Amino acid sequence: MSPDNLQAQHRFIIRQRLRMMVNQYEVHSVAPDGSEGGLLAFAQQKRLAFKEQVTIYTDDSKQYPLLGFKARQRLDLGATYDVTDHAGNPIGLFRKDFAQSLLRSTWHVEQPGLPPATGQERSLPVALLRRFVDSLSWLPYHFDFMAGGQPVFSVDRKWGLRDRYSVEIQHPQIDRRLVIAMAVGLDALQSR
């Protein structure tokens, strides 16, 4: 998919594949009827890596990288992840706000030329249940990313045996690659 076609997307569906040694995610467009459309991207993260890194490809053949994100440091409770395009050029970054995430997970997303966006779990009761009752850590969560009081995008985890997310983009200028990176990061990095 060309960058212009990707940028024209306003909704994505992200599904996690179940694998033993890696986390894999499929990013799909959304058809006009709301059903899952064609594959837009495929992400893979090695588990137990010393430095978190995820590569996102154009498809599951993994021949053509589309973008990636990588932690700046090995161990950092409020880690910053740089998002780059296929050639290593910066797209933006995202980082976890460790202090605010103690009760309700909070992430910050930055893209040059746009105001920073902050995303926080929508429901404080669900956030608290997920943290303090281990058997409820599977509960769906929902993040709303805002900048200057305006919605930028949202990520909603859906019920199901496999992790599945619905992504809605409200801001026309936010780079869809940055949104995909953050949405995959929410699943891959949320429990860290």
Side-chain angles (χ1 to χ4, degrees):
M1 168 164 289
S2 75
D4 289 338
N5 287 341
L6 184 61
Q7 193 63 25
Q9 302 294 315
H10 296 284
R11 296 171 62 199
F12 301 119
I13 295 171
I14 299 177
R15 282 190 292 123
Q16 183 180 25
R17 287 185 180 178
L18 298 176
R19 299 291 185 262
M20 293 297 290
M21 297 307 293
V22 295
N23 286 329
Q24 294 182 334
Y25 303 91
E26 296 175 356
V27 181
H28 291 267
S29 63
V30 176
D33 67 358
S35 65
E36 189 174 286
L39 183 68
L40 298 172
F42 177 79
Q44 183 166 302
Q45 172 205 30
K46 292 181 181 176
R47 292 184 187 157
L48 306 173
F50 286 112
K51 196 171 188 180
E52 294 295 342
Q53 181 173 349
V54 175
T55 303
I56 301 171
Y57 301 92
T58 57
D59 60 34
D60 58 1
S61 71
K62 299 185 283 183
Q63 290 182 343
Y64 305 104
L66 180 64
L67 67 131
F69 62 86
K70 185 176 185 178
R72 287 185 180 172
Q73 299 172 341
R74 287 196 175 141
L75 288 176
D76 185 1
L77 297 175
T80 297
Y81 299 88
D82 292 303
V83 181
T84 57
D85 68 12
H86 68 282
N89 300 312
I91 295 171
L93 62 86
F94 61 89
R95 63 183 168 80
K96 189 169 189 174
D97 188 320
F98 178 73
Q100 286 193 3
S101 294
L102 291 174
L103 294 178
R104 184 186 287 184
S105 292
T106 303
W107 293 82
H108 302 284
V109 176
E110 297 179 23
Q111 176 182 322
L114 296 181
T118 299
Q120 191 171 57
E121 284 182 273
R122 189 179 301 156
S123 171
L124 180 59
V126 170
L128 293 172
L129 283 171
R130 288 181 55 247
R131 278 161 183 69
F132 299 114
V133 182
D134 284 341
S135 62
L136 296 178
S137 63
W138 53 268
L139 282 173
Y141 51 80
H142 313 284
F143 280 83
D144 296 310
F145 287 82
M146 308 286 285
Q150 298 297 314
V152 177
F153 66 96
S154 63
V155 179
D156 294 328
R157 182 176 179 188
K158 302 297 183 184
W159 292 92
L161 296 176
R162 294 184 301 170
D163 291 342
R164 185 173 180 267
Y165 300 87
S166 174
V167 179
E168 299 275 341
I169 302 165
Q170 293 86 14
H171 194 292
Q173 294 173 321
I174 187 87
D175 193 313
R176 297 333 190 234
R177 298 169 299 175
L178 185 57
V179 173
I180 290 170
M182 181 73 255
V184 168
L186 284 174
D187 187 86
L189 307 169
Q190 184 61 15
S191 62
R192 289 171 175 72

